Amino acid sequence: MTDAGASPPPDGKTITEHELEQCERANETGRQPVVFVHGLWLLPSSWDRWATLFEDNGYAALTPGWPDDPETVEEAAEHPDVFAGKSIGQVADHFETIIRGLNRKPAIIGHSTGGLLAQILAGRSLAAVSVAIDPAPFRGVLPLPISTLKSSFPVLGNPANRNRAVPLTYEQFRYAFANAVSEDEAKQLYNTYAVPTPGKPLFQAAAANLNPWTEAKVDTKNPDRGPLLLISGERDNTVPWGIVNASYKQQKDNPGVTEIEKIPGQGHALTIDSGWREVADKALAFVARFVKS
């Protein structure tokens, strides 16, 4: 028996030409690949500066999208419905197909729901090392802070949103992502990065502890999981420290290295705001401890 959001096995049909080119390039260069996984309300372009940093340090950066992701924020605004209906399992399978096309097991770095996906993929023995930044909770992670409920309310407040694409207003983005930056920077981040998001992953994560067959689950015991770093933004409203630390407690018994770090003064936008470089440097240093470029 599976949950209502269960997905068919990966078949490669959702892989784009650009994603195939990234895989081919990584294989041709022979460099250590690093796969970046974005979360809700963002696109792969949110990783552009990170990809450049890792490339400059000798890695082959891949920034795949979720299935049907538009290329730009402008395209997303014109065709928001393309985001609707995507489930956690469907996106995880999409990334698994991409990763299995690589000659070397990659480092995987994810933010928010992308951080949850990074842990799912690591639990499938697909990561050489992984970094989960403000990761969404999985089955077994129990804390549910009020700020998380408030951040999720634009989606979870209407059950019909499960199969819809849901945008954030600026005020909602300010609270959920950009509470730790100035008003001017928050507006700039909203205009540059914010896109609609599928509602289904939030409903799956919210119900994970009630559903034994949920797709929002992680194999934390797999001895082939590899080293894992969890990063928490001190001021994150969407995935506060309590959730990240509970995820760490679920993961720490794994035989692989498991570490956690809190970034002072940072909110949920820590991968895209003006403090991104501090977070990226910590992720880069962790990856470099275990896989060389």
Side-chain angles (χ1 to χ4, degrees):
M1 186 174 182
T2 58
D3 76 13
S7 307
D11 57 11
K13 291 180 180 178
T14 62
I15 308 303
T16 67
E17 183 175 340
H18 177 63
E19 289 164 348
L20 285 173
E21 290 173 351
Q22 288 191 335
C23 285
E24 290 170 358
R25 175 181 171 274
N27 289 337
E28 289 170 359
T29 63
R31 292 181 172 190
Q32 170 63 45
V34 180
V35 174
F36 294 93
V37 189
H38 73 78
L40 301 179
W41 289 293
L42 298 176
L43 289 175
S45 56
S46 62
W47 290 115
D48 284 353
R49 292 178 295 185
W50 286 65
T52 298
L53 174 65
F54 275 74
E55 288 276 341
D56 288 346
N57 280 272
Y59 294 90
L62 295 86
T63 55
W66 290 25
D68 303 316
D69 266 358
E71 290 190 11
T72 66
V73 172
E74 292 74 23
E75 289 180 30
E78 292 175 3
H79 305 286
D81 290 345
V82 300
F83 294 100
K86 305 300 184 298
S87 75
I88 291 170
Q90 180 182 356
V91 180
D93 289 348
H94 174 78
F95 274 84
E96 177 172 351
T97 302
I98 292 169
I99 290 169
R100 291 194 181 282
L102 296 169
N103 292 340
R104 298 173 66 179
K105 190 180 287 191
I108 303 176
I109 299 175
H111 168 249
S112 193
T113 302
L116 166 60
L117 289 162
Q119 292 176 85
I120 290 172
L121 295 167
R124 295 182 182 183
S125 304
L126 295 170
V129 55
S130 50
V131 180
I133 304 165
D134 286 340
F138 53 87
R139 181 173 172 80
V141 174
L142 300 179
L144 192 59
I146 293 175
S147 67
T148 299
L149 293 173
K150 183 175 178 179
S151 297
S152 303
F153 188 77
V155 175
L156 299 181
N158 182 353
N161 284 336
R162 180 181 177 89
N163 293 308
R164 291 175 177 170
V166 184
L168 292 178
T169 66
Y170 167 70
E171 289 75 18
Q172 291 165 342
F173 180 86
R174 175 75 161 140
Y175 181 83
F177 275 80
N179 62 299
V181 300
S182 68
E183 189 79 22
D184 286 344
E185 183 175 359
K187 290 178 179 177
Q188 184 266 329
L189 292 174
Y190 181 73
N191 292 328
T192 302
Y193 294 109
V195 297
T197 203
K200 186 173 288 185
L202 276 172
F203 282 90
Q204 290 180 298
N209 288 314
L210 303 175
N211 182 2
W213 305 280
T214 182
E215 293 178 345
K217 60 185 176 182
V218 173
D219 183 354
T220 61
K221 305 300 183 184
N222 184 354
D224 295 324
R225 184 207 68 186
L228 168 66
L229 171 65
L230 295 108
I231 294 179
S232 175
E234 177 192 26
R235 297 179 60 188
D236 193 323
N237 284 332
T238 301
V239 187
W241 169 257
I243 290 178
V244 183
N245 192 45
S247 299
Y248 168 74
K249 289 178 179 178
Q250 291 288 318
Q251 291 276 15
K252 68 178 183 178
D253 292 332
N254 188 282
V257 172
T258 308
E259 298 180 5
I260 187 169
E261 186 157 354
K262 184 187 293 185
I263 309 295
Q266 282 281 16
H268 200 62
L270 73 175
T271 58
I272 56 173
D273 66 22
S274 54
W276 73 273
R277 182 61 189 265
E278 177 186 2
V279 187
D281 282 342
K282 290 183 183 297
L284 176 62
F286 186 79
V287 168
R289 281 167 53 189
F290 301 100
V291 289
K292 301 305 179 183
S293 58

